Amino acid sequence: MGTTQLPSTEFDGTAVDDQLEAEAEAVMGEPPAQMVQLLGPDGKLVNDPVYSEYAEKLDPDKLRGLYADMARIRRFDVEATALQRQGQLALWVPLTGQEAAQIGSGRASQPQDYIFPTYREHGVALTRNVDLAELLRQFRGVSNGGWNPKDTNFHLYTLVLAAQTLHAVGYAMGIQRDQKLAAASDPVCTEPPAAVMAYYGDGASSEGDVHESMVFASSFNAPVVFFCQNNHWAISVPSTVQTRIPLSNRAKGYGFPGVRVDGNDVIAVHAVTEWALDHARQGKGPVLIEAFTYRVGAHTTADDPTKYRQSAEEDSWRAKDPLARLEKYLRSEGIADDVFFAKVKADGDELAAYVRRTTHDLETPDIRTAFANTYVEAHPLVAEELAWFEEYSAGFAGEPQAGETPAGQAITEAGN
């Protein structure tokens, strides 16, 4: 009986695959895989073989600017939280603790770059010159957005987890093709190349949209930077449940670089993001940045973090506060003094007063508008739910409305 010829298997051609993998590994070997930190919690700057070159571009004016931005956005965050507690906003999404990740990355971008945020990137919005008072319109319920993305190249907030990563890759592929067409029609075109940056959190990293977007980004070498703010908690689920390895390592599976950076070190975040955006603009493809940071407060004002995490954990991260460590450095190097920090505080209070005043001047949202805009035509289920709401609301007749004192007087700025 003759020997049986087995059919060829799916493993034929592995030599080619191994070669491609080796080439990909060579690319992913730059920059180093360990977490990048340039400014430690003690306020001392250290050297890095790759990123110190970018950090050296930050002169004293820029360093002071980074601190001022972080302080202003933290003050804004405190004011927005107070506005929500007083009934002026329907919801608020705090960012305290993540100032360095947002300000550092936002300031590393260039005007021609396009940013796709989630719903927590208030600091990035500041760096893109979005009027922060307009940002609150969505959280008050009087707008589906609040600003025109074309004015700042900062997209509207995305409330659907991870959807913006797909949008970002599609936009980046469009930029890629537009730039090729422009170069073909005008070889001496002087328009600066652009890149796209997509923000998302450690919780959203488990969404399929993130993985699908990375497949497309890698396949088409799209000029996009994925910026994952690993703040350790997806509402009540810790990041250790989302992944058993550093999130930055996931980039290896798609064949592009992944970098983990200390997300509370604004200098390192700025340097890594500048490197990544340069990488993308030069046609070298996508990059994944994992900013290792912490959400000090609640996920939203509807959340109570004391139900799922210990205060000792929060205290340990407060010791790594991004503002405190940069202040230590600025003072030790003689870059900033008491006069500067007093001015920063005054500017923050001025911003808070402006935001409060502007929010009070906004129209009062009517939830009935949401019922009216659910479908183009009348729907019996919506009508039934509206009837229930009207009956429920009638039970509160005579009680003070949101934003009023028991005497029926509006809350003033002095009540903050």
Side-chain angles (χ1 to χ4, degrees), residues 116 163-173 196-198 222-226:
F116 284 87
Q164 73 279 2
T165 59
L166 290 170
H167 306 159
V169 173
Y171 197 96
M173 291 168 63
V196 175
M197 189 150 53
V224 59
V225 173
F226 296 98

Side-chain angles (χ1 to χ4, degrees), residues 125-397:
L126 173 67
T127 68
R128 303 299 291 190
N129 299 317
V130 173
D131 186 336
L132 297 180
E134 288 187 355
L135 188 150
L136 293 183
R137 292 175 60 84
Q138 184 177 32
F139 293 95
R140 187 173 170 86
V142 297
S143 171
N144 291 326
W147 63 92
N148 186 348
K150 294 182 179 179
D151 294 338
T152 58
N153 276 2
F154 183 78
H155 204 67
L156 297 177
Y157 276 0
T158 301
L159 303 183
V160 179
L161 282 183
Q164 73 279 2
T165 59
L166 290 170
H167 306 159
V169 173
Y171 197 96
M173 291 168 63
I175 286 178
Q176 184 183 56
R177 285 152 177 74
D178 287 345
Q179 290 178 164
K180 287 182 178 179
L181 288 174
S185 61
D186 184 6
V188 294
C189 178
T190 58
E191 286 291 326
V196 175
M197 189 150 53
Y199 288 83
Y200 63 98
D202 50 292
S205 71
S206 295
E207 295 284 333
D209 285 359
V210 171
H211 302 281
E212 292 167 9
S213 64
M214 289 185 178
V215 169
F216 270 83
S218 180
S219 298
F220 291 94
N221 212 43
V224 59
V225 173
F226 296 98
F227 195 95
C228 176
Q229 291 179 87
N230 180 357
N231 64 17
H232 282 71
W233 288 95
I235 307 184
S236 60
V237 179
S239 58
T240 52
V241 175
Q242 305 292 340
T243 180
R244 298 187 182 278
I245 61 171
L247 288 169
S248 59
N249 286 3
R250 290 184 176 178
K252 293 181 179 180
Y254 302 102
F256 55 82
V259 186
R260 172 179 268 197
V261 62
D262 182 347
N264 285 20
D265 175 0
V266 69
I267 296 177
V269 171
H270 189 283
V272 168
T273 307
E274 186 177 1
W275 173 86
L277 287 169
D278 283 348
H279 183 280
R281 291 192 206 99
Q282 293 169 12
K284 297 179 180 179
V287 176
L288 167 60
I289 297 174
E290 177 194 357
F292 199 69
T293 183
Y294 193 78
R295 166 170 57 81
V296 173
H299 178 73
T300 72
T301 48
D303 170 44
D304 180 5
T306 65
K307 301 295 185 183
Y308 54 82
R309 69 186 189 193
Q310 298 180 343
S311 58
E313 177 182 301
E314 298 175 4
D315 292 341
S316 68
W317 276 93
R318 286 192 176 94
K320 305 172 186 177
D321 184 87
L323 276 77
R325 74 168 68 179
L326 183 57
E327 180 177 351
K328 291 176 185 176
Y329 177 72
L330 295 178
R331 288 185 180 277
S332 66
E333 295 296 316
I335 297 174
D337 54 17
D338 289 341
V339 175
F340 167 77
F341 291 108
K343 177 66 164 56
V344 168
K345 183 181 184 305
D347 289 344
D349 291 340
E350 183 179 346
L351 171 62
Y354 163 70
V355 167
R356 169 166 290 275
R357 182 173 60 253
T358 305
T359 301
H360 276 281
D361 289 342
L362 291 172
E363 64 271 29
T364 300
D366 186 351
I367 195 172
R368 294 166 183 81
T369 304
F371 288 97
N373 293 339
T374 302
Y375 293 105
V376 175
E377 299 178 354
H379 192 285
L381 181 59
V382 174
E384 179 183 338
E385 292 175 344
L386 177 58
W388 178 91
F389 169 75
E390 297 288 8
E391 181 181 356
Y392 174 77
S393 300
F396 296 94

Side-chain angles (χ1 to χ4, degrees), residues 5-13:
Q5 177 66 45
L6 295 176
S8 61
T9 72
E10 66 271 26
F11 299 107
D12 285 349

Side-chain angles (χ1 to χ4, degrees), residues 3-28:
T3 59
T4 302
Q5 177 66 45
L6 295 176
S8 61
T9 72
E10 66 271 26
F11 299 107
D12 285 349
T14 51
V16 175
D17 291 339
D18 289 344
Q19 179 183 354
L20 292 174
E21 182 176 350
E23 293 173 355
E25 287 288 350
V27 171
M28 291 181 289

